[in-house]
Amino acid sequence: DLQRILRCNEKTGQYGLVLTEKDARELMACREDSLKESRRVEFGESILPAVIEAFCNAGCQVAFCGTDIDGGQAYAEAVGAQFNPVNEFCAETLCQAMSRVMKAWRDIEIVICTADMAPAITSHWRTLRSALPMEPDYGRVVVIGSETAKIPAIPNATVNAIVCRDIDNAVASACLFFALPECGAVSGQTISTL
């Protein structure tokens, strides 16, 4: 992380802003304290691609949301996923994107979301699935956060959590484990990477 922050000097130096190593370390410490205080996890650049690629490689049909329209579309085409642009990450826009995917695909069997969005997203998912003309296949929800989210049991679905502070490919593997049929009826479990 330190080197990544210091590499920003290449871009910001032309505007007269250059961080010393001491400045960068203080910034990292402040960020860590802020995340702990607000009990949030900050998802780095690697988690979304790692999860998307894990599911695409497992043969799943994948849809994801993002605010970078050009980059998201190019990435989706490269990995064989569907990109759904949103103008911001909030429950309302994510639920709208989920509705579009549900309309196109007729069902969404697996939902992976952050703990702060989980109550709204899972509630909307249940509503969409209850309107299906036939009984939907068994569903799976995986919640990622810095602490376990309080999510009620969902009929005909498993709900599991991954509690993490640092994001890496192990989180993508844990998502895949909880989401695929080989996990069986495992529900109410938490994997911690803390």
Side-chain angles (χ1 to χ4, degrees):
D1 278 349
L2 177 64
Q3 292 306 314
R4 186 172 55 91
I5 292 172
L6 289 173
R7 279 194 302 271
C8 291
N9 285 337
E10 295 167 12
K11 294 179 184 175
T12 62
Q14 64 186 342
Y15 303 107
L17 174 63
V18 176
L19 295 174
T20 65
E21 185 172 326
K22 181 182 178 217
D23 294 333
R25 287 186 189 284
E26 288 176 7
L27 183 63
M28 288 173 52
C30 180
R31 179 181 144 266
E32 184 67 25
D33 290 344
S34 176
L35 292 172
K36 284 179 186 175
E37 184 178 304
S38 64
R39 298 178 5 203
R40 293 184 55 173
V41 62
E42 182 176 88
F43 293 98
E45 297 171 15
S46 65
I47 187 57
L48 187 58
V51 171
I52 291 168
E53 290 170 24
F55 279 85
C56 286
N57 290 338
C60 297
Q61 188 175 17
V62 176
F64 67 98
C65 297
T67 56
D68 177 5
I69 295 172
D70 294 333
Q73 190 60 44
Y75 180 73
E77 289 171 10
V79 299
Q82 178 183 323
F83 174 67
N84 292 279
V86 294
N87 55 2
E88 65 177 319
F89 282 104
C90 68
E92 182 181 348
T93 60
L94 294 176
C95 287
Q96 290 169 354
M98 180 182 281
S99 294
R100 290 191 302 270
V101 172
M102 190 74 145
K103 183 177 181 181
W105 291 0
R106 307 272 192 268
D107 192 12
I108 298 173
E109 294 178 13
I110 302 167
V111 174
I112 299 172
C113 58
T114 57
D116 59 333
M117 295 291 172
I121 297 294
T122 56
S123 175
H124 188 67
W125 180 62
R126 285 178 63 189
T127 301
L128 291 172
R129 292 188 105 214
S130 69
L132 293 174
M134 63 189 152
E135 182 71 24
D137 289 336
Y138 206 74
R140 300 186 183 274
V141 176
V142 180
V143 179
I144 303 171
S146 58
E147 62 182 46
T148 305
K150 305 240 188 284
I151 299 177
I154 299 174
N156 207 24
T158 63
V159 180
N160 293 292
I162 300 167
V163 179
C164 53
R165 186 161 297 127
D166 295 318
I167 305 300
D168 58 24
N169 286 338
V171 174
S173 296
C175 286
L176 199 58
F177 167 74
F178 277 143
L180 295 182
E182 293 79 11
C183 189
V186 172
S187 190
Q189 301 303 306
T190 300
I191 292 177
S192 177
T193 64
L194 299 178

